[in-house]
Amino acid sequence: MTITGRRGFLKGSLAAMGGGLAAAATGGTARAAGDIKVNEWMKTLGEGVVSRPYGLPSEYESHVRRRWVEWLTATRESSVSFTPIQDLDGIVTPNGLCFERHHGGIAEVDPSEYRLMINGLVEKPLIFTLDDLKRMPRVNRFYFLECAANSGMEWRGAQLNGCQYTHGMIHCLQYTGVALKTVLEQAGIRPNGKWILAEGGDASGLDRSIPIEKALDDCMLAFAMNGEALRPEQGYPVRLVVPGWEGNMWIKWIRRIEVGDEPWHTREETSKYTDLMEDGRSRRFTWIMDAKSVVTSPSPQAPLKYKGVNVLSGLAWSGRGKVKRVDVTFDGGRNWVEAELAPPVLSRCLTRFHVNFEWDGRPLLIQSRCIDETGYIQPTKDELRAVRGTNSIYHNNGIQTWHVMASGEVENVEIS
Ligand SMILES: Nc1nc2c(c(=O)[nH]1)N[C@H]1C(S)=C(S)[C@@H](COP(=O)(O)O)O[C@H]1N2
Ligand SMILES: [Mo]
């Protein structure tokens, strides 16, 4: 086995690895009883109600925040920030921590001025206000959104140190809104209407072509996330939700939907989100996000602090349906254990998994592998490269490897 880190080959450190890991933890974590300190907060009154009209996390959690990588993009207006997935639990991303991807900065839309226009191959072109949309039948659904470029910097080898950076272009929210089908049916799609063009109201005017089958199947016009109005970063007041499909199609600040008889975008026009293969050809219309997973703890930003019992935790997802199984290895793939999936396990939604394990201080090579309900198995990075080459940035759903060192620190490596 060859282990390659971010700066080259790793030597020696893994000689002692393998075997001695119990996947079922048996010990306890409690300490012997002793004196407990009386702290200030136990003796004095705290602040009263509404001293924080919109609640924020404890000051001790200030390290939990979105981050960005300066050298990735020239400006912040057309850039990406990353969700701190190593610090989160469960499957729902808190509204203030959702990664952002903007092409023209954050549009600050006045909801009273908001309009959504439906035109093109429809019986009756229509305009909706935000209130009009809110008076239509509601839909509530949990979905993940992953940018097609998530893990894109890792195509040629381990590069970024931490799952916030390698896998943080993802969030998972409960959306409330209207089924796109309901809106399109009011306008009446003409028989030759086969595609929609969804167009954003921000300075980038980002637009995408979506086949009518998908538009009528499960797309939503969402105005709420996790129970409150969308955040400006996520497209306030209305964004398109395209379950299981790559993030760039989820048009934010959506202002117009045109129905047409063919796609507006050719492969060349959408080249920024097209996978360039080794032979110079491109993959066309790679919309669906394939099954993927990552161990969020331990990981480079969440090192192991204790020997003995520990909980491994991670996220798995598939744009094709539900996660069926997640396998975890601690020894670089020689032995695998089945992770426990924490309910709810929902279709095209993040799924949380856990493995309880005992760590004796020896180096580990941790990986997770997702299998979705279609039977698709998450590939290794080398398996992916064998088919797609290394020209691409998009759709890297290869298996991630974390090298846990004797110190408990963790680094991003690849094994082959
Ligand atoms: N109008 C508009 N919609 C947009 C974008 C944009 O720049 N403008 N970026 C797209 C891309 S590439 C992604 S990955 C997702 C990111 O959604 P988020 O900012 O909620 O994470 O929004 C998509 N929708
Ligand atoms: Mo994206």
Side-chain angles (χ1 to χ4, degrees):
M1 188 190 294
T2 316
I3 302 156
T4 318
R6 297 188 301 138
R7 290 170 205 88
F9 293 112
L10 304 181
K11 286 185 242 113
S13 67
L14 289 143
M17 206 202 61
L21 182 124
T26 48
T29 58
R31 287 145 208 278
D35 285 344
I36 287 180
K37 220 166 119 194
V38 177
N39 294 99
E40 211 38 45
W41 61 80
M42 301 172 177
K43 299 185 290 190
T44 50
L45 287 177
E47 287 177 0
V49 295
V50 209
S51 51
R52 306 162 198 199
Y54 196 110
L56 290 172
S58 157
E59 59 176 296
Y60 302 103
E61 298 296 320
S62 60
H63 58 283
V64 182
R65 54 196 197 78
R66 293 171 177 147
R67 292 184 174 83
W68 77 307
V69 177
E70 214 155 329
W71 52 260
L72 265 186
T73 53
T75 66
R76 286 202 189 212
E77 291 74 22
S78 182
S79 191
V80 62
S81 67
F82 301 88
T83 307
I85 50 176
Q86 71 282 353
D87 298 310
L88 302 180
D89 254 302
I91 58 171
V92 173
T93 313
N95 286 347
L97 293 174
C98 292
F99 92 94
E100 317 145 82
R101 173 76 181 98
H102 317 308
H103 291 75
I106 302 165
E108 295 285 356
V109 179
D110 174 347
S112 68
E113 300 276 309
Y114 176 78
R115 297 290 181 277
L116 173 69
M117 179 166 122
I118 314 287
N119 70 330
L121 300 175
V122 291
E123 302 303 337
K124 213 173 6 148
L126 295 173
I127 286 179
F128 293 84
T129 65
L130 181 58
D131 284 344
D132 292 340
L133 293 175
K134 288 186 173 172
R135 285 161 53 223
M136 298 175 77
R138 295 270 163 98
V139 181
N140 279 283
R141 293 272 190 285
F142 287 92
Y143 293 118
F144 77 80
L145 179 165
E146 183 183 19
C147 176
N150 202 18
S151 315
M153 284 75 74
E154 307 287 307
W155 265 110
R156 290 163 194 222
Q159 174 148 225
L160 297 172
N161 215 25
C163 62
Q164 178 161 12
Y165 304 111
T166 58
H167 291 76
M169 284 190 217
I170 193 158
H171 51 61
C172 183
L173 306 166
Q174 186 185 34
Y175 293 97
T176 304
V178 178
L180 180 55
K181 181 174 195 253
T182 313
V183 170
L184 289 174
E185 279 176 353
Q186 278 204 14
I189 303 164
R190 297 237 176 105
N192 54 342
K194 297 293 175 223
W195 289 78
I196 64 159
L197 178 80
E199 181 183 77
D202 54 333
S204 77
L206 190 105
D207 57 15
R208 286 294 181 267
S209 306
I210 300 173
I212 199 77
E213 295 77 23
K214 180 66 175 175
L216 296 176
D217 178 18
D218 55 4
C219 288
M220 284 172 72
L221 290 162
F223 43 76
M225 58 197 269
N226 293 336
E228 63 178 0
L230 291 185
R231 293 287 171 91
E233 301 94 302
Q234 266 63 51
Y236 178 87
V238 184
R239 97 172 300 164
L240 187 64
V241 169
V242 192
W245 289 28
E246 53 182 30
N248 67 83
M249 310 183 84
W250 298 48
I251 303 297
K252 303 192 274 192
W253 312 287
I254 188 164
R255 71 171 171 210
R256 191 169 71 92
I257 294 171
E258 186 175 336
V259 179
D261 53 2
E262 53 183 36
W264 279 259
H265 300 92
T266 62
R267 182 181 64 223
E268 290 72 25
E269 283 168 347
T270 58
S271 60
K272 283 190 176 157
Y273 281 92
T274 299
D275 288 10
L276 182 60
M277 309 256 284
E278 211 63 37
D279 62 3
R281 289 183 307 153
S282 295
R283 299 168 73 218
R284 195 179 191 197
F285 299 150
T286 49
W287 297 310
I288 304 180
M289 301 309 292
D290 283 317
K292 187 166 169 180
S293 66
V294 65
V295 171
T296 53
S297 176
S299 68
Q301 295 158 292
L304 275 183
K305 289 195 278 192
Y306 305 100
K307 287 183 185 163
V309 295
N310 278 286
V311 177
L312 175 148
S313 179
L315 293 167
W317 60 96
S318 167
R320 298 181 193 275
K322 290 184 186 176
V323 169
K324 190 169 78 187
R325 203 178 87 207
V326 177
D327 299 324
V328 170
T329 178
F330 292 87
D331 57 12
R334 287 194 199 113
N335 300 286
W336 294 87
V337 292
E338 192 174 333
E340 181 191 321
L341 303 185
V345 177
L346 303 171
S347 180
R348 290 158 301 167
C349 187
L350 292 187
T351 296
R352 175 64 62 178
F353 63 87
H354 298 120
V355 176
N356 302 323
F357 71 103
E358 299 239 11
W359 184 49
D360 60 8
R362 268 187 279 186
L364 307 172
L365 284 173
I366 293 180
Q367 300 178 324
S368 63
R369 175 174 69 192
C370 174
I371 296 140
D372 72 15
E373 65 178 338
T374 70
Y376 174 95
I377 302 169
Q378 184 184 357
T380 65
K381 290 188 181 175
D382 282 344
E383 283 168 349
L384 261 190
R385 289 185 188 118
V387 181
R388 306 244 193 99
T390 52
N391 285 334
S392 189
I393 296 175
Y394 304 107
H395 295 277
N396 179 355
N397 67 323
I399 290 174
Q400 174 65 44
T401 311
W402 301 129
H403 170 209
V404 181
M405 296 173 263
S407 61
E409 288 166 282
V410 183
E411 62 175 346
N412 179 8
V413 299
E414 289 206 7
I415 52 179
S416 52

